[in-house]
């Protein structure tokens, strides 16, 4: 469920960048002479995380909402194909990319 849809992937990367930025800042305690460098580098990593969160929020407002045929919940689709945020079913709006459900 952690990497279910494209939006959740972006949000997960942004969250990991926050933890990475805090971890980089802690390296300043190991090398006090370079504390300012590690602090600024950590702030840069956390700032990039904020940018990714802003980008994911912008994409979320433009995403198409559909009802998942598997679980029946409302989810959002980015691009031609995406996965349901809840059950990870493959979703698409383009019939050319639809999974083949015929049984021969």
């Amino acid at each position: 469920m952690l990497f279910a849809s494209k939006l959740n992937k972006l949000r997960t990367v942004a969250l990991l960048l926050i933890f990475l930025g805090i971890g980089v800042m802690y390296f300043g305690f190991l090398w006090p002479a370079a504390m300012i460098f590690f602090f600024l580098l950590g702030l840069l990593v956390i700032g990039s995380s904020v940018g990714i969160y802003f980008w994911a929020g912008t994409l979320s407002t433009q995403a198409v909402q559909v009802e998942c045929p598997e679980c029946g919940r409302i989810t959002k689709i980015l691009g031609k194909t995406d996965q349901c945020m809840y059950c990870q079913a493959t979703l698409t709006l383009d019939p050319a990319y639809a999974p083949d459900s015929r049984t021969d």
Side-chain angles (χ1 to χ4, degrees), residues 18-100:
I18 286 177
F19 290 131
L20 180 70
I22 292 171
V24 166
M25 287 184 194
Y26 273 111
F27 279 124
F29 290 118
L30 299 175
W31 294 287
M35 186 177 285
I36 293 175
F37 170 73
F38 285 118
F39 180 73
L40 292 176
L41 186 63
L43 282 179
L44 183 67
V45 172
I46 291 175
S48 65
S49 170
V50 169
I52 291 174
Y53 269 123
F54 182 77
W55 182 41
T58 304
L59 288 176
S60 179
T61 61
Q62 300 170 356
V64 178
Q65 291 186 353
V66 297
E67 183 177 348
C68 177
E70 300 271 335
C71 65
R73 292 179 169 176
I74 301 296
T75 187
K76 295 181 179 183
I77 295 180
L78 284 180
K80 293 185 179 183
T81 62
D82 204 350
Q83 291 180 327
C84 176
M85 289 184 188
Y86 306 103
C87 68
Q88 298 180 359
T90 302
L91 303 172
T92 184
L93 296 174
D94 191 358
Y97 291 99
D100 190 19

